[in-house]
């Protein structure tokens, strides 16, 4: 599945971009049990139209505009098949990190009502990723 922003219109304000695999849900719950009852492999992750403009603000942070475009359309795939998962300690979000020529982080917000919503995408320096790993905020995924 790829993200297709042409599906947005005045009537279509969001689109589902997939669901978490059960193994990913189990992994997240093993690291943050407080998310029990709030995340599920049955729940769609929603991408709101307004997040396109927000994400565009990070375009120049990537190695190239072409890289940004490639990663952007592959947001659903990054969420489905991350190399790492990071859980923010205070803001109820989970980042799915994929290693390409640079690390790409895709963050989703987990609401108290059980909604999962795309938040942002940005590049992550190796030093940042290593810091998260060293501080037990990020883990490699082997599932």
């Amino acid at each position: 599945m790829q993200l297709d922003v042409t599906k947005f219109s005045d009537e279509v304000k969001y689109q589902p971009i997939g669901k978490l695999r059960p193994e990913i849900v189990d992994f997240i719950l093993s690291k943050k049990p407080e998310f029990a009852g709030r995340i599920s492999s049955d729940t769609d992750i929603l991408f709101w139209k307004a997040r396109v403009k927000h994400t565009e603000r990070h375009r120049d942070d990537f190695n190239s505009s072409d890289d940004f475009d490639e990663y952007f359309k592959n947001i659903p795939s990054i969420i489905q098949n991350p190399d790492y998962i990071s859980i923010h300690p205070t803001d109820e979000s989970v980042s799915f990190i994929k290693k390409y020529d640079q690390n790409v982080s895709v963050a989703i917000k987990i609401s108290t009502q059980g909604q999962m919503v795309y938040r942002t995408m940005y590049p992550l320096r190796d030093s940042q990723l290593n810091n998260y790993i060293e501080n037990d905020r990020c883990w490699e995924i082997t599932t």
Side-chain angles (χ1 to χ4, degrees):
M1 168 186 263
Q2 289 189 328
L3 180 60
D4 181 2
V5 297
T6 64
K7 292 181 180 179
F8 291 123
S9 67
D10 289 340
E11 294 80 33
V12 178
K13 306 277 191 227
Y14 68 88
Q15 61 179 287
I17 57 171
K19 300 174 186 210
L20 296 178
R21 291 186 292 125
E23 314 85 74
I24 298 289
V25 170
D26 291 344
F27 181 84
I28 293 169
L29 290 174
S30 76
K31 300 298 181 183
K32 186 151 183 169
E34 303 91 322
F35 280 158
R38 293 172 52 192
I39 64 169
S40 166
S41 60
D42 296 327
T43 303
D44 283 320
I45 300 165
L46 303 180
F47 190 111
W48 287 86
K49 180 180 179 181
R51 300 317 287 176
V52 174
K53 184 182 253 185
H54 168 85
T55 305
E56 279 283 342
R57 295 186 336 208
H58 292 290
R59 178 178 288 279
D60 292 339
D61 298 335
F62 286 86
N63 289 337
S64 72
S65 194
D66 287 343
D67 283 352
F68 173 88
D69 292 338
E70 183 68 21
Y71 305 147
F72 184 77
K73 74 179 180 184
N74 284 307
I75 285 172
S77 176
I78 293 169
I79 293 169
Q80 287 300 309
N81 299 294
D83 294 317
Y84 297 89
I85 289 181
S86 174
I87 300 174
H88 194 280
T90 58
D91 81 350
E92 307 297 306
S93 67
V94 177
S95 292
F96 300 86
I97 302 164
K98 191 74 176 171
K99 291 182 92 45
Y100 293 104
D101 289 340
Q102 60 190 138
N103 304 310
V104 177
S105 179
V106 172
I108 64 168
K109 178 87 170 169
I110 312 291
S111 78
T112 55
Q113 297 83 22
Q115 291 182 318
M116 295 185 288
V117 180
Y118 167 84
R119 251 180 119 177
T120 194
M121 177 187 81
Y122 56 91
L124 193 65
R125 293 186 315 274
D126 284 338
S127 61
Q128 290 172 298
L129 177 60
N130 291 333
N131 178 273
Y132 292 168
I133 293 168
E134 289 168 9
N135 288 298
D136 204 31
R137 287 183 40 205
C138 184
W139 307 272
E140 188 170 12
I141 300 300
T142 57
T143 61

